[in-house]
Amino acid sequence: MSRFVYADNAATTKITPNVLDAMMPWLTEGYGNASSIYSKGREALRALNEARETVAAALGAQAGEIYFTSGGSEADNWAIKGVAHTLAKKGKRHLITSVFEHHAVLHTMDSLRKEGFEITLLPVTDKGLVRVEDVAAAIREDTALVSIMYANNEIGTIQPIPEIGKLCREKGVLFHTDAVQAVGNVPIDVKEQNIDLLSLSGHKLHAPKGVGALYIRRGIVLPNLIDGGAQEKSKRAGTENVAGIVGLAEAIRTACTDIEGRAARVKKLRDRLIDGLLPIPRCCLNGDREHRLPGNVNISFEGVEGEALLLWLDQNGICASSGSACTSGSLDPSHVLISLGLPHEVAHGSLRLTLGDFNTVEDVDYILSVVPGVIERLRAMSPLWERIIANEK
Ligand SMILES: *Cc1c(COP(=O)(O)O)cnc(C)c1O
């Protein structure tokens, strides 16, 4: 029996009813400008202050260290360009990141390279983990910043962030982490984990699109991102998106209230899905199984074109994604899968299913009832698969 299964929670998520409820007053009668003096304005300001407290508390930060942005990409850009431009004045023009970051980080680094900054791209292991020793070996006298993602958006691997934080603090190098996929899924404490800057985004955790935040540790001064009014301590001007910010705070509050419990539930679904898919011949799980986000499944099927797989799954009501070519509008498969050392044809056969709070055992069993048959059908028409089988003989 056909059903609809949303299994692309790493791409974006549905807004939960409690988040929408928290936002509604600010989309309707609570339209005051938070800078206005009358009570309609002051109410909005109070909501913003409360939201800032909530987000800070979830990260172990102070409210004054949270700056709201339009999302994860903006936070990444601000953190990295801001530190680079500030510390370049002190002769520090070297930045360190990893090869499998989100494009919001990688393309920001590209743009800095064109400005004359030197960028070290660290490799990752075949399991999709950054090695702390590699970070240590890359740090130099003129290193301004290390930027390593908390959890990878494609393969879900969780990086040794507390260890990298400790190392950077000892070496006196600033440390930024893109935690867009991690917030709400992994316990984060910016003080304990020695994180100087952290990016997060609302729409990956059941808040709306177009809102996010950057944590900037007290004492670090970045250049203004947007000049204008006095919003966000004059660093990021523009009338605040009160409803979006309130929604973001509510989503983070909900997600961080019971990380362990939610993670355990989703992990069970994930493991059921992985264990149900792995018996398919010639497939492999991409990324470390242990150090992995609770909802992430990423599997490559040899002799299958990821694009075709996605279309067939869509026909069956399943939303998923792939590291294969055209989804991204380019011919090259995902830089993340290539960074693991996967051959191009294996990377092209990848399927990412990301589960979340709304998924059920029935969803997983439905996916398991559809995928093997689709793989079989696609392989039956694939010249690549014919060659694989011929080579085996
Ligand atoms: C989605 C995502 C981003 C971008 O966030 P937006 O709010 O969509 O700009 C950045 N980094 C990672 C790891 C992501 O998954």
Side-chain angles (χ1 to χ4, degrees):
M1 206 179 57
S2 187
R3 57 192 277 148
F4 176 78
V5 175
Y6 186 75
D8 204 14
N9 286 278
T12 197
T13 58
K14 169 174 166 173
I15 296 180
T16 42
N18 66 310
V19 168
L20 186 62
D21 285 348
M23 292 173 66
M24 275 313 269
W26 309 103
L27 290 166
T28 50
E29 281 311 303
Y31 54 81
N33 185 319
S35 305
S36 301
I37 201 83
Y38 40 78
S39 58
K40 215 182 210 9
R42 294 200 309 271
E43 280 161 21
L45 181 62
R46 206 172 315 125
L48 280 181
N49 291 340
E50 260 173 45
R52 211 180 296 281
E53 294 279 354
T54 304
V55 173
L59 301 173
Q62 303 288 318
E65 298 173 312
I66 302 298
Y67 294 80
F68 292 114
T69 65
S70 72
S73 302
E74 182 181 314
D76 284 341
N77 270 259
W78 191 12
I80 297 167
K81 288 177 184 160
V83 168
H85 291 147
T86 302
L87 293 185
K89 292 176 198 135
K90 295 186 178 161
K92 298 193 175 192
R93 304 182 66 83
H94 175 233
L95 301 114
I96 299 169
T97 190
S98 78
V99 284
F100 79 161
E101 297 292 316
H102 190 273
H103 283 138
V105 168
L106 285 180
H107 290 166
T108 298
M109 293 289 180
D110 286 343
S111 127
L112 288 169
R113 189 184 290 111
K114 284 183 196 134
E115 285 180 37
F117 287 88
E118 201 183 322
I119 315 293
T120 297
L121 289 178
L122 298 177
V124 296
T125 67
D126 58 359
K127 296 280 186 199
L129 296 168
V130 172
R131 278 180 295 245
V132 183
E133 312 87 90
D134 288 351
V135 181
I139 293 177
R140 318 189 308 212
E141 274 300 302
D142 63 340
T143 304
L145 180 75
V146 170
S147 179
I148 303 289
M149 69 198 320
Y150 213 119
N152 185 276
N153 46 301
E154 289 188 37
I155 54 173
T157 50
I158 300 170
Q159 306 307 312
I161 295 303
E163 291 79 2
I164 298 172
K166 182 163 176 282
L167 169 75
C168 291
R169 191 61 55 87
E170 282 166 6
K171 299 261 187 180
V173 176
L174 291 180
F175 176 44
H176 165 252
T177 185
D178 173 338
V180 170
Q181 294 287 338
V183 174
N185 288 317
V186 184
I188 297 178
D189 186 304
V190 289
K191 301 289 182 252
E192 260 174 36
Q193 300 173 359
N194 293 305
I195 296 166
D196 295 307
L197 302 123
L198 177 146
S199 308
L200 62 90
S201 172
H203 75 101
K204 304 288 174 75
L205 41 76
H206 304 292
K209 294 158 187 66
V211 64
L214 178 64
Y215 153 77
I216 308 177
R217 183 166 63 79
R218 191 202 307 258
I220 298 173
V221 181
L222 298 189
N224 295 351
L225 181 68
I226 299 177
D227 292 310
Q231 296 90 355
E232 302 304 302
K233 294 196 234 156
S234 302
K235 297 254 141 218
R236 200 269 185 193
T239 305
E240 300 89 343
N241 171 9
V242 181
I245 289 168
V246 167
L248 172 67
E250 175 63 12
I252 291 184
R253 195 186 58 74
T254 316
C256 293
T257 300
D258 181 25
I259 293 185
E260 303 296 330
R262 285 178 40 258
R265 189 187 132 337
V266 176
K267 209 179 264 178
K268 222 184 250 173
L269 298 178
R270 176 199 76 185
D271 288 340
R272 185 183 182 94
L273 186 51
I274 293 176
D275 292 333
L277 290 174
L278 283 181
I280 295 174
R282 300 202 75 116
C283 74
C284 63
L285 179 71
N286 296 316
D288 192 84
R289 185 154 177 174
E290 296 307 314
H291 302 101
R292 189 178 196 96
L293 287 173
N296 180 287
V297 177
N298 190 312
I299 293 188
S300 283
F301 301 95
E302 281 183 56
V304 169
E305 179 50 58
E307 291 294 301
L309 179 53
L310 293 188
L311 291 176
W312 276 100
L313 293 184
D314 183 38
Q315 285 290 307
N316 286 278
I318 299 169
C319 305
S321 76
S322 167
S324 184
C326 324
T327 14
S328 56
S330 84
L331 282 176
D332 294 325
S334 139
H335 66 290
V336 174
L337 297 175
I338 294 304
S339 77
L340 306 179
L342 289 189
H344 276 234
E345 64 276 14
V346 178
H348 273 300
S350 78
L351 172 66
R352 181 185 75 177
L353 295 155
T354 43
L355 306 171
D357 294 331
F358 287 99
N359 291 112
T360 60
V361 174
E362 287 72 31
D363 288 347
V364 170
D365 290 347
Y366 176 65
I367 296 171
L368 289 174
S369 76
V370 171
V371 174
V374 173
I375 301 278
E376 204 172 316
R377 226 171 312 153
L378 289 172
R379 281 176 171 169
M381 336 185 259
S382 156
L384 182 60
W385 180 247
E386 248 171 59
R387 237 180 301 140
I388 292 167
I389 294 301
N391 280 344
E392 224 168 39
K393 284 182 185 144

